[in-house]
Amino acid sequence: MLRTVASEVPWPPGVHEFFPPPIAGPDHWFTKFTLFLWVSVALILVFFLVAYRNPKLVPTKSQWLAESLYGFVRDGIAKDMIGARGVAFAPYLSTLFVFVLVMNVWAIIPGVQLSPNSHIAFPALLAVISYVIFNYVGIREHGFAKYMKAQLIPPGVPMWLVPLVAVIELLSTFILRPVTLALRLFANMFAGHVILLVFSLGGFMLLNSEAIFLKPVSLLSWALAIGLTFFELLVAALQAYVFVLLTSFYVQTSLADEH
């Protein structure tokens, strides 16, 4: 039985693992990723609606958890990075944190074990939204000309270096920021899925190996897969935190008068 299973699993894991077959819909647009996205949004909406349906002075467990998540982002990220004005951005940043976290957690759900963020389209869209926000608030705060000058020409730069520095800052601020923001989240979730896949399927391959001494190693492979699953949960939370932290930093630099 195990030999049959091992012969049917794809080995080595390929890129096709990140392009699950479509489920339904015109032109087959409805995929597993779409399903996970909708379920994630539904879970978040239901959780916060239930948590704040009847708020109490002594919070219930769900209300306490919702308030803790919001308070963590508001006080630990928004206010720390942006300052007092960070409170205005706390609702968006909290929503972003919870959304990225829930999407990442799909990577360790049995039977799924694939985060939509391991597909570049989702991190790219989130990065574009953050990109638009931090540029919008900067232009609204300073005006277009002053904002562009503040972003491209740091104070104290000698005049003869301004052209070179302006090009570097242009690439860094307006091109590399959204690209690296998306790639960081995508790469970590992509790599996590590949690692779990390798150790999980590797256990079957080792168990059905012709070499007797390799069969016990399959238990080690599966044990590592289980251990790495818990580590992947830590990575999922950390990447959500880093994504929101960097978004807050970019907003802060947009609002600041000097950089």
Side-chain angles (χ1 to χ4, degrees):
M1 177 64 180
L2 288 174
R3 186 177 298 277
T4 302
V5 172
S7 64
E8 294 176 352
V9 297
W11 187 265
V15 177
H16 65 277
E17 297 290 338
F18 297 90
F19 296 91
I23 298 175
D27 299 322
H28 304 292
W29 63 269
F30 190 82
T31 66
K32 284 185 178 181
F33 285 138
T34 313
L35 176 62
F36 300 159
L37 172 65
W38 286 5
V39 172
S40 298
V41 172
L43 289 173
I44 294 170
L45 286 174
V46 169
F47 169 71
F48 280 100
L49 287 174
V50 170
Y52 285 103
R53 178 180 56 184
N54 185 22
K56 301 180 182 297
L57 185 61
V58 178
T60 60
K61 291 181 179 179
S62 59
Q63 182 184 337
W64 173 84
L65 180 57
E67 290 177 350
S68 297
L69 287 170
Y70 178 76
F72 167 72
V73 176
R74 181 194 61 197
D75 300 329
I77 301 178
K79 290 174 70 174
D80 280 356
M81 293 299 300
I82 305 173
R85 299 180 64 179
V87 175
F89 298 94
Y92 167 70
L93 295 174
S94 300
T95 303
L96 181 63
F97 175 78
V98 175
F99 179 71
V100 174
L101 177 60
V102 172
M103 292 275 278
N104 286 351
V105 168
W106 284 110
I108 63 169
I109 300 298
V112 179
Q113 293 182 310
L114 181 63
S115 167
N117 286 327
S118 61
H119 195 292
I120 187 60
F122 291 92
L125 179 59
L126 294 175
V128 167
I129 294 173
S130 293
Y131 176 80
V132 170
I133 287 176
F134 80 73
N135 281 300
Y136 169 76
V137 298
I139 294 172
R140 186 184 63 179
E141 178 75 12
H142 305 292
F144 180 78
K146 186 177 179 181
Y147 173 70
M148 293 301 294
K149 180 181 178 182
Q151 294 295 324
L152 299 180
I153 308 176
V157 175
M159 288 301 297
W160 63 275
L161 274 179
V162 166
L164 176 60
V165 172
V167 171
I168 294 174
E169 291 294 328
L170 176 66
L171 291 173
S172 173
T173 303
F174 298 102
I175 298 178
L176 293 181
R177 276 186 181 181
V179 170
T180 55
L181 193 62
L183 285 179
R184 183 180 290 104
L185 176 58
F186 158 72
N188 279 278
M189 302 314 299
F190 182 96
H193 179 68
V194 169
I195 291 172
L196 291 178
L197 201 61
V198 166
F199 282 103
S200 298
L201 297 183
F204 285 103
M205 304 303 293
L206 291 168
L207 185 62
N208 290 273
S209 173
E210 297 296 334
I212 301 298
F213 67 91
L214 286 179
K215 293 181 181 292
V217 183
S218 63
L219 297 177
L220 176 61
S221 181
W222 286 327
L224 286 172
I226 295 172
L228 288 171
T229 298
F230 290 101
F231 179 74
E232 187 68 8
L233 178 59
L234 176 62
V235 171
L238 181 61
Q239 288 307 309
Y241 174 78
V242 170
F243 197 96
V244 175
L245 186 72
L246 289 175
T247 298
S248 301
F249 172 73
Y250 297 153
V251 170
Q252 188 274 331
T253 57
S254 297
L255 293 173
D257 291 325
E258 295 183 353
H259 307 287

